[in-house]
Amino acid sequence: MKQLYIMLLILLSFGFTDCSNDIPPEKEKPKDEQSMFFPFKLYPTENMWTFIKLDTRSGKMWQVQFSVKDDDYRFEIPLNTTALATDLTNGRFELYSTNNIFNFILLDKIDGATWQVQWSTKPENQAIIPIKRPKF
């Protein structure tokens, strides 16, 4: 019986071993904190060939398409060339997907402004539309 208690103590002591030094410091940072250092971010769309590139400082966006066929299907076209902010804080803007595969919501994380962003391979179907806030 005494040997059983000793074995139990040994097993329990392994459960309380400090393993915090095993994790490199860069792995401990939250993902959002890491991305705050970089001004650009790529967001996937439901179309496997298409991404949206966002300048997280200004709100400018480009539709990026890649291809395994040829250069005609590989391009980057502007969705929004107008800066939506002037202070150029990294991480200020972020895109959120919606249930509509062609639409995202762009959020200004500093002042709360939002826009509907619609991407398309046809320029006439591309849009960035401010979402009005109610006046209280």
Side-chain angles (χ1 to χ4, degrees), residues 13-32:
S13 67
F14 283 115
F16 295 108
T17 304
D18 181 14
C19 298
S20 62
N21 292 335
D22 296 343
I23 301 170
E26 64 272 5
K27 296 287 185 188
E28 294 174 0
K29 292 181 184 176
K31 190 175 184 179
D32 284 345

Side-chain angles (χ1 to χ4, degrees), residues 32-45:
D32 284 345
E33 185 180 326
Q34 290 177 4
S35 65
M36 295 296 287
F37 298 111
F38 303 105
F40 292 95
K41 188 171 179 181
L42 277 177
Y43 290 87
T45 67

Side-chain angles (χ1 to χ4, degrees), residues 36-121:
M36 295 296 287
F37 298 111
F38 303 105
F40 292 95
K41 188 171 179 181
L42 277 177
Y43 290 87
T45 67
E46 292 293 319
N47 179 319
M48 66 182 280
W49 308 106
T50 305
F51 286 78
I52 297 176
K53 181 172 82 171
L54 172 66
D55 181 337
T56 67
R57 303 163 299 177
S58 68
K60 292 180 179 181
M61 288 171 281
W62 298 263
Q63 182 176 321
V64 179
Q65 185 169 309
F66 72 99
S67 172
V68 293
K69 291 185 178 181
D70 63 47
D71 289 343
D72 292 340
Y73 298 101
R74 194 176 298 118
F75 57 83
E76 181 175 308
I77 55 175
L79 290 174
N80 174 40
T81 58
T82 303
L84 303 173
T86 56
D87 69 357
L88 300 182
T89 302
N90 282 350
R92 178 175 183 148
F93 291 93
E94 186 159 352
L95 279 172
Y96 294 87
S97 61
T98 66
N99 287 335
N100 180 317
I101 67 170
F102 297 103
N103 284 268
F104 285 76
I105 301 295
L106 177 67
L107 171 67
D108 182 334
K109 296 191 309 186
I110 292 177
D111 78 2
T114 52
W115 294 263
Q116 177 181 338
V117 176
Q118 183 170 306
W119 69 270
S120 173
T121 55

